[in-house]
Amino acid sequence: MAKKSENGRLAVVFGDQLDPDAALIKGLRKGDNVLMMEVVEESQHVPSHIQRTVMFLSAMRHFAADLRDTHQDKGVEVRYIELDAKGNTGSFATEIERAAKDLKPSSIVCTEPGEWRVLEMIEDVADSLKLELEVLPDEHFMTTREEFAKWADGRKSLTMEYFYREQRKKTGYLMTKKGDPVGGDWNLDKENRETFGKDGPGKVPAPKRFPMDDITKAVVNAVRKKLPDLPGELDDTEDFRWPVTRKEALAALKDFIKNRLEKFGPFEDAMWTGEPVLYHSLISPAINLKLLNPRECCEKALAAYNEGDAPLQSVEGFVRQLIGWREFIRGVYWFEGPGYGKRNSLEAGGKLPEFYWTGEIDMACLRETIGQVLETGHNHHIPRLMVMGNFALLAGVHPRAITDWYLGMFVDGIDWVTTPNTLGMVMHADGRDGLGKGVTGLVGTKPYAASGQYIKRMSNFCTNCRYDPGKKTGDEACPFSVLYWDFLIRHQDDFKDNQRMAMILKNVDRMKPEQRAELTRDGKRLRKELGIE
């Protein structure tokens, strides 16, 4: 039996739940105690980029300050445990236990966490304390876990496109009064693959940065003191790359809509040296912290389209990412259950190469894109999928190793986001019983594998690289091209029943035995030289 108490509830708010309109926050009542915690464990269970850690903690402190201002006259107290506070026990579980011992709450209440690990932790803590736990739905999302489960139940493959079309009908976004998609097509992705050519993108509007206030400066000092070995870079300038308040997040959204949305669509997949942002929004961290609501982001983009300030292909692509892909990925994460993150359909077992932590590699594309992550904690979806992720897939890195890297090294990394994106889409590792090994996955029906030729087409990375993406063998052969063909040879039997792989596998069939043997030998040599196996 849960203990009864006349005291208020212990309302636990995690770092990715900074939404003033959340049911938990709006429902606070006299006698409740809000608990927010900065704990070492959350920056160490996977190595967390220093900018990710600073952003989370600064946003949390700002949110706590706002809570105190708005609830100080309502009989609600905020118990905030700073990273370097005396007595900080270093984990969510022990801090909740300490708060319960001090405050003797009647029950515990929280918004549903963003990962299974944290949900199971708070359930276990409440059970050990014999306190009732109420987990409120996260209304920030447009689709509840139950709604997604109803849509997904019984489907062998979970195709995002079909889910997205239902989302369009549900929201009414970019729909005519007759119920048809505006412009006649549901998806304009084929129009969003333009490249910059030899002249490059020209002058791209720099994204907005934000002055470091005293709260952020204090966080930086605490992080440098308590967590001195975090990966990544953080310069000591007077501004910060990421919004940490609701006001700053709205300014970042406005900056994107005004300065980059127009060209976002056409150049959505393009890459260029020295340009990690190009026309992308940079608002995913603010959305994932709940400083921005995806609905308002969509509505600002739709207003730009209606006013003639942004083309349909850009607005549709942006809306699709928010109401389609983002909601779909979260749905997959919760629908598949806590064992999802342990899947390894292709039985890859390699180690993550050291250059993912240093950027020190003679391949220009990896040096550039990993360097972007180390410097900023971010780059857009194509470097993530088709450069850094593609290399890990082709080289046979264990999916959990690269998934943990994505979770910790990107400022927008949260488990429900990174696990399906990386384990499923990048590593093609999320097949389940009934699908057949390697044939297809849940998030991707085919592996997103490509040779160096794709990178050459979509970027200028190959221009000054010592390797030639057009060569598969020899000292000048691009490692991407070598590993691509080695990957197809190694997994030919796994993909033989995948219709989307049939054409490319015919090229493998046409290879002479000695060429296959050479590619297999060179692939193994590369993996050994890089410390993968």
Side-chain angles (χ1 to χ4, degrees), residues 325-461:
W325 191 254
R326 186 171 186 269
E327 297 277 330
F328 174 78
I329 284 295
R330 177 182 180 258
V332 168
Y333 177 84
W334 289 105
F335 181 71
E336 290 300 305
Y340 178 77
K342 299 177 182 178
R343 292 182 189 168
N344 186 2
S345 298
L346 296 179
E347 299 180 351
K351 298 176 183 177
L352 187 69
E354 181 64 20
F355 64 76
Y356 276 80
W357 303 105
T358 65
E360 296 174 2
I361 181 72
D362 61 357
M363 298 169 65
C365 57
L366 285 167
R367 184 172 63 247
E368 174 72 17
T369 54
I370 292 172
Q372 292 171 2
V373 177
L374 294 172
E375 181 183 354
T376 72
H378 192 272
N379 47 30
H380 68 78
H381 64 286
I382 294 300
R384 297 191 199 197
L385 175 64
M386 300 306 300
V387 183
M388 299 174 295
N390 185 29
F391 188 87
L393 170 67
L394 300 180
V397 171
H398 193 289
R400 194 68 246 175
I402 189 67
T403 299
D404 286 348
W405 187 84
Y406 273 67
L407 173 61
M409 290 301 289
F410 287 102
V411 290
D412 54 5
I414 298 174
D415 199 47
W416 69 261
V417 179
T418 53
T419 296
N421 269 304
T422 312
L423 187 87
M425 191 174 191
V426 171
M427 299 302 290
H428 199 71
D430 66 344
R432 62 182 180 191
D433 290 345
L435 292 177
K437 177 186 170 185
V439 172
T440 187
L442 287 180
V443 172
T445 53
K446 65 180 285 292
Y448 279 84
S451 72
Q453 294 284 36
Y454 173 87
I455 296 169
K456 181 179 180 180
R457 184 169 68 253
M458 298 306 300
S459 75
N460 71 330
F461 296 159

Side-chain angles (χ1 to χ4, degrees), residues 254-266 300-315:
K254 182 178 180 181
D255 174 61
F256 166 64
I257 297 294
K258 179 181 178 181
N259 296 316
R260 300 192 300 283
L261 175 61
E262 179 185 2
K263 294 184 178 180
F264 164 73
K300 292 289 185 183
L302 293 169
Y305 170 69
N306 291 330
E307 292 164 12
D309 294 330
L312 180 61
Q313 68 184 107
S314 290
V315 174

